[in-house]
Amino acid sequence: MSKVKSSETVKVVIRCRPLNRKEEAAAAGVTRTPGGVGGIVEMDMRLGQVVLRNPRGPPGEPRKTFTFDSVYDPSSKQRDLYDETVRPLIDSVLDGFNGTIFAYGQTGTGKTYTMQGVWLEPERRGVIPNAFEHVFTQISRSAADRQYLVRASYLEIYREEIRDLLDPNVHAPHVPNVHTHSHRTLELRESPESGVYVRDLTSCVCKSVKEIQELMNVGNQVRSVGATDMNEHSSRSHTLFLITVECSLPGPDGRRHIRVGRLNLVDLAGSERQAKTGVHGERLKEAAKINLSLSALGNVISALADGRSAHIPYRDSKLTRLLQDSLGGNAKTVMVATLGPAPQHYEETLTTLRYANRAKNIQNKPRVNEDPKDALLREFQKEIARLRAQLSHREGRGKHRKEDGEEGWDGEGDEEGEEEVEKERTLQEERLEEEKEAIREDGSLLAEEKQRLLGEKERMMGDLRKERDATEQLTAKYKAMESKLLVGGKNIMDHTNEQQKTLEIRRQEIAEQSRREREIQQQVMVQDEETLELRETFSSLQQEVEAKTKKLKKLYAKLQSVKAEIQDGDDEHVRSRQELEQTQNQLTRELRFKCLIIANFIPPGEKNKIMNRLTFDPEEDQWKFTPLVPAESQMKKRPVSAVGYKRPISQYARVSLAMASHSRYRAENIMFLDLDMTHPTTVSLDHRPSEVGPIYSPTDRERAAPFHMSRSWCQTPRAITSSTSTVSLATHSTATPTAAQ
Ligand code: ADP
Ligand code: MG
């Protein structure tokens, strides 16, 4: 099914942003002092090295050096990063590989700038808009026998909930406030075919750069952002823009095959120290979730880089599950770690570099996804073939095309056919018109006969019109479907842009060359260290001592740097533990507050009821209420006690139903009992009528709507005279308190 390619490592590149105004001002203040402090990051783009200086360390402290696939200093352009690092990845996606680019780094270091950039300025456009452009340009340039279908989805993970940013229900009544509850949270699922995926995620077919940009804009409007001290528009969620490119192309076996490439463009929320970002309340809770998922990501990276641990904790967070394929699975992955050069963020910068350094060792196993079962392109092709068959059937050409939809792509031939048919139809109409005219003018026909013939012709014309409408509808549907598929070599605008194309290729070649050069440089560096001692021959003992001393010194320095590294690691560990404790304390305090409210304001009975209904869902990692009404499928079936009855029915009711005396509530299973016809019990009261007055005299209202309970009252209404003073038991309740007097 799929071609296995050899494994490859995750590509890790570093990007450092320029000092911002605040930092520049702070640095200007410091540089006045002797031994000034500017940026703390130095980069060697040729070697792919980052050197980090500790601004608070002792003067002799060795600098920390890290080597990566590429590094981009503050003067680098968006285009440089794209051409050298991203372009090859997107090309792989177009060839049917899965690809992931994710930006990682402290808040405010340029993750969103790298991924999105400034859309309106071509020079400052980030990875995502450039990728859009690239995908559609490549499609238009590909061979004419290829068909493509491009789909896009956009989601964010906000507080460990997956939200669909293109959900039509969220966009329909446009809600400017981001933190609404109208967001549906989605669930993660796993299938052997497509790995981990999000169930019910909206996915839109895109035909052009404009359309896909529109989608991104729509999604960005409902994305969760909020200001922190470090970044005014800090992303408070991890976002993932997913582009699926399906390509149908003829294989060497003569059949058409479908390749599916998925591109994940991930902009992570910033890793941050809560103290620095100055957040509290809701923001703190967001931060806690962000940090938890980022540390889960860190753990996954560590476990993968280690190579020894059998268990990779992908399930610890939504983020790591979504990136499961991208880290150690079927994908080509690029990680862009972003840094700031300011001395006050030394620790964070070091952490980011360590994180990135570890990720370099992750081995992925990318392969071409060929002919997966869930390819949408195949469905489209089938539907188009079906519509086309219907159309050609209508057009009476009888020239049915192959049902399997894998046949060629001859839109032009079709159009010619359509024109022919249209001409034919117009001719028919004209002929009918002429015939009608002839009938009207024919004097030899009777008036009646004329009318009949005219009516017939009229009907024929009506049929013709109906036929035409139906065909038009079908054609419109067919064209709409067809237009969603993009065809290689068709929308060629590059006859005029030939030069641009050549330029691009040249740029690509240069990027490739410099990449190779860097690789070789790095290899040479490593080899140098190893072979140095082999090549050395010593002419005298003295020389040997010198050489060995030199080597000892070198190794001693290395030992010191490793020791420092360990110390740093410990410090880092302590720091992150302290931070976690701090978060824990905050959350505990909040928990106590909630417990207090529950203890004082919710009755224990209610509380227990709620507690009994709660169950923990490990899959979703949250507590859920078991529904009060069991789900439809679990609902207990009513025992069918009697065939044909709605509900169980008593023997008595069944018998009386059979007697069929009452037709009114027959189906309702109401028991009819005959009323007690005996005379009411009467009690004589020893009162003189003049004193008591009328004991019972129905009011006007009662007379109008009497509640006769007993049939004896209905049938034999008897006037109650005041002299008899009889009180029926049935009317007792209605008797006024005067009766008691
Ligand atoms: P993050 O997403 O990492 O929190 P942003 O991408 O929002 O950070 O960047 C914060 C600020 O820094 C933005 O104003 C952005 O324009 C600026 N910035 C980031 N990287 C660069 C860069 N390489 N060149 C110029 N400006 C940058
Ligand atoms: Mg951001």
Side-chain angles (χ1 to χ4, degrees):
M1 283 286 284
S2 38
K3 291 172 192 165
V4 178
K5 264 213 139 192
S6 58
S7 70
E8 61 167 49
T9 52
V10 169
K11 265 213 178 84
V12 182
V13 305
I14 305 286
R15 185 176 203 192
C16 183
R17 71 155 163 73
L19 284 169
N20 63 28
R21 257 185 236 133
K22 242 197 224 172
E23 292 162 352
E24 256 174 10
V30 183
T31 31
R32 264 183 256 123
T33 61
V37 185
I40 53 166
V41 180
E42 278 167 36
M43 295 181 133
D44 186 337
M45 306 247 281
R46 209 173 47 89
L47 267 178
Q49 271 188 345
V50 181
V51 182
L52 187 69
R53 181 170 55 83
N54 182 358
R56 289 179 285 281
E61 190 183 288
R63 299 173 173 208
K64 295 192 170 64
T65 308
F66 299 87
T67 311
F68 295 97
D69 290 291
S70 314
V71 298
Y72 299 93
D73 69 11
S75 65
S76 63
K77 302 265 171 303
Q78 298 271 40
R79 199 79 230 176
D80 298 337
L81 183 125
Y82 190 83
D83 282 340
E84 213 176 277
T85 306
V86 186
R87 189 173 284 278
L89 184 79
I90 310 281
D91 286 334
S92 303
V93 170
L94 288 165
D95 286 338
F97 285 98
N98 293 341
T100 299
I101 307 166
F102 69 95
Y104 174 86
Q106 190 197 355
T107 297
T109 49
K111 293 182 297 297
T112 307
Y113 181 82
T114 301
M115 294 308 290
Q116 308 229 16
V118 186
W119 284 68
L120 296 177
E121 295 174 38
E123 277 293 300
R124 295 171 70 197
R125 264 184 215 155
V127 167
I128 293 176
N130 280 327
F132 291 170
E133 197 87 35
H134 184 171
V135 166
F136 286 99
T137 315
Q138 273 322 89
I139 287 177
S140 72
R141 280 178 190 164
S142 65
D145 58 358
R146 295 187 174 204
Q147 285 171 31
Y148 289 90
L149 183 71
V150 181
R151 281 181 289 154
S153 304
Y154 197 12
L155 63 89
E156 71 172 349
I157 307 177
Y158 178 70
R159 291 194 186 191
E160 280 301 280
E161 282 177 358
I162 298 177
R163 294 169 164 191
D164 188 352
L165 293 177
L166 301 180
D167 188 351
N169 297 330
V170 176
H171 291 282
H174 179 67
V175 202
N177 181 8
V178 172
H179 305 285
T180 52
H181 297 288
S182 53
H183 275 287
R184 209 160 37 102
T185 57
L186 304 180
E187 288 171 16
L188 281 173
R189 288 277 175 272
E190 195 167 355
S191 82
E193 268 274 321
S194 44
V196 179
Y197 66 96
V198 182
R199 206 174 68 167
D200 298 335
L201 183 66
T202 311
S203 131
C204 308
V205 175
C206 299
K207 291 178 293 194
S208 63
V209 178
K210 203 162 155 260
E211 279 187 23
I212 201 165
Q213 279 179 355
E214 188 57 34
L215 278 185
M216 180 112 216
N217 284 340
V218 164
N220 280 345
Q221 280 167 14
V222 287
R223 200 188 147 169
S224 308
V225 289
T228 68
D229 289 356
M230 292 177 70
N231 187 346
E232 258 176 58
H233 303 285
S234 169
S235 331
R236 309 306 297 168
S237 61
H238 309 300
T239 56
L240 191 154
F241 196 89
L242 173 69
I243 307 177
T244 312
V245 184
E246 296 184 5
C247 172
S248 149
L249 72 171
D253 56 358
R255 292 179 54 93
R256 292 189 79 90
H257 291 279
I258 291 186
R259 286 180 175 175
V260 182
R262 288 186 203 87
L263 175 65
N264 298 306
L265 300 159
V266 188
D267 182 5
L268 296 180
S271 60
E272 55 203 4
R273 302 234 172 269
Q274 279 129 36
K276 276 196 184 176
T277 43
V279 294
H280 32 76
E282 287 297 297
R283 287 263 172 280
L284 178 75
K285 268 191 241 163
E286 281 172 7
K289 288 275 188 198
I290 292 170
N291 282 357
L292 273 182
S293 64
L294 285 174
S295 73
L297 181 66
N299 293 341
V300 165
I301 290 177
S302 298
L304 283 167
D306 184 25
R308 276 172 300 177
S309 39
H311 172 71
I312 313 293
Y314 289 117
R315 287 188 170 259
D316 283 1
S317 78
K318 295 264 156 64
L319 177 69
T320 44
R321 279 210 79 195
L322 260 177
L323 293 181
Q324 186 164 343
D325 260 339
S326 313
L327 297 168
N330 169 22
K332 293 185 173 221
T333 302
V334 172
M335 168 177 176
V336 185
T338 55
L339 310 173
Q344 58 266 43
H345 303 317
Y346 169 75
E347 279 87 15
E348 288 82 353
T349 307
L350 185 59
T351 313
T352 305
L353 282 170
R354 287 234 169 84
Y355 216 94
N357 205 32
R358 246 179 272 153
K360 276 191 325 194
N361 302 323
I362 298 176
Q363 290 284 341
N364 280 359
K365 295 172 270 313
R367 54 169 200 262
V368 174
N369 305 309
E370 196 149 89
D371 292 325
K373 282 195 207 78
D374 55 357
L376 194 68
L377 183 57
R378 178 145 295 143
E379 307 273 310
F380 264 65
Q381 284 176 333
K382 276 191 185 150
E383 180 66 14
I384 288 173
R386 198 180 60 79
L387 289 172
R388 189 188 283 172
Q390 268 188 14
L391 264 176
S392 47
H393 178 72
R394 266 184 185 280
E395 286 161 3
R397 285 193 289 168
K399 206 171 77 186
H400 289 267
R401 276 157 209 278
K402 270 193 172 179
E403 277 294 316
D404 61 7
E406 292 185 352
E407 254 315 295
W409 190 256
D410 53 348
E412 281 156 38
D414 259 20
E415 269 159 33
E416 273 170 32
E418 269 166 34
E419 267 171 36
E420 250 173 54
V421 172
E422 190 55 43
K423 243 186 244 165
E424 175 79 12
R425 220 173 260 138
T426 326
L427 273 180
Q428 262 185 4
E429 256 176 51
E430 275 169 16
R431 214 179 304 135
L432 276 172
E433 257 331 305
E434 274 168 25
E435 279 172 14
K436 263 165 74 179
E437 203 56 34
I439 291 169
R440 258 188 231 118
E441 281 166 14
D442 193 343
S444 65
L445 283 171
L446 285 173
E448 254 175 48
E449 185 76 350
K450 227 185 216 178
Q451 210 58 42
R452 196 180 58 78
L453 283 174
L454 276 177
E456 207 166 277
K457 294 288 170 209
E458 201 62 50
R459 211 170 38 247
M460 277 164 82
M461 278 186 82
D463 284 351
L464 210 61
R465 248 174 251 136
K466 238 187 260 166
E467 175 87 355
R468 176 194 284 169
D469 285 350
T471 313
E472 266 169 16
Q473 265 179 18
L474 209 61
T475 315
K477 203 169 155 195
Y478 168 68
K479 288 220 166 115
M481 274 314 272
E482 201 188 47
S483 75
K484 285 187 179 164
L485 292 193
L486 302 169
V487 188
K490 236 196 168 178
N491 353 11
I492 294 184
M493 30 97 178
D494 23 40
H495 287 309
T496 47
N497 288 346
E498 202 58 47
Q499 271 182 335
Q500 195 191 336
K501 192 173 163 186
T502 334
L503 193 73
E504 251 171 50
I505 292 171
R506 287 273 168 282
R507 258 211 308 243
Q508 218 169 313
E509 277 171 8
I510 292 170
E512 178 66 17
Q513 221 158 31
S514 67
R515 203 172 52 78
R516 229 174 295 147
E517 200 179 292
R518 195 165 38 244
E519 255 170 39
I520 292 169
Q521 288 262 17
Q522 286 176 1
Q523 274 172 10
V524 167
M525 218 166 55
V526 175
Q527 271 170 5
D528 260 2
E529 275 183 14
E530 283 172 3
T531 54
L532 199 64
E533 90 191 89
L534 292 179
R535 271 192 271 115
E536 273 176 301
T537 46
F538 308 112
S539 51
S540 70
L541 222 63
Q542 179 64 28
Q543 225 177 6
E544 191 174 342
V545 169
E546 267 172 29
K548 291 257 155 98
T549 320
K550 223 160 90 189
K551 201 166 167 211
L552 185 69
K553 268 190 192 152
K554 217 170 166 185
L555 288 179
Y556 185 73
K558 220 171 187 176
L559 177 72
Q560 291 307 321
S561 84
V562 170
K563 272 188 180 163
E565 198 98 323
I566 292 172
Q567 185 59 41
D568 278 352
D570 285 350
D571 291 352
E572 171 73 28
H573 180 70
V574 169
R575 227 180 3 249
S576 61
R577 209 185 64 192
Q578 278 170 352
E579 212 152 87
L580 283 175
E581 277 169 2
Q582 206 181 331
T583 314
Q584 192 190 12
N585 284 345
Q586 291 261 12
L587 293 176
T588 315
R589 201 186 304 165
E590 200 151 313
L591 184 69
R592 284 213 197 104
F593 173 67
K594 300 248 154 98
C595 285
L596 191 78
I597 293 181
I598 291 172
N600 288 292
F601 294 97
I602 299 183
E606 288 301 315
K607 191 183 88 181
N608 288 343
K609 257 194 248 168
I610 293 172
M611 300 273 263
N612 289 339
R613 273 184 61 205
L614 285 173
T615 48
F616 189 74
D617 182 355
E619 183 75 17
E620 288 281 301
D621 192 30
Q622 57 185 333
W623 289 94
K624 280 189 169 170
F625 277 111
T626 43
L628 276 174
V629 183
E632 196 81 5
S633 56
Q634 298 170 349
M635 191 107 77
K636 276 202 189 120
K637 274 243 166 102
R638 212 183 269 280
V640 183
S641 53
V643 184
Y645 297 121
K646 274 190 188 169
R647 41 184 82 93
I649 192 161
S650 68
Q651 179 67 22
Y652 180 88
R654 233 176 294 165
V655 171
S656 72
L657 200 71
M659 307 300 270
S661 52
H662 300 278
S663 59
R664 192 164 169 199
Y665 299 117
R666 184 180 294 236
E668 296 301 325
N669 194 19
I670 290 176
M671 198 153 69
F672 285 95
L673 295 174
D674 281 331
L675 291 172
D676 185 3
M677 302 294 278
T678 52
H679 276 289
T681 318
T682 56
V683 182
S684 305
L685 294 174
D686 195 14
H687 284 298
R688 268 175 296 163
S690 56
E691 281 173 15
V692 175
I695 286 195
Y696 178 74
S697 64
T699 61
D700 285 350
R701 199 157 146 231
E702 280 165 342
R703 253 184 239 119
F707 31 84
H708 299 300
M709 307 293 278
S710 149
R711 193 176 287 180
S712 54
W713 285 97
C714 301
Q715 285 173 345
T716 53
R718 289 186 302 152
I720 306 165
T721 53
S722 56
S723 60
T724 52
S725 310
T726 48
V727 179
S728 150
L729 283 178
T731 55
H732 215 123
S733 57
T734 58
T736 50
T738 47
Q741 289 170 4

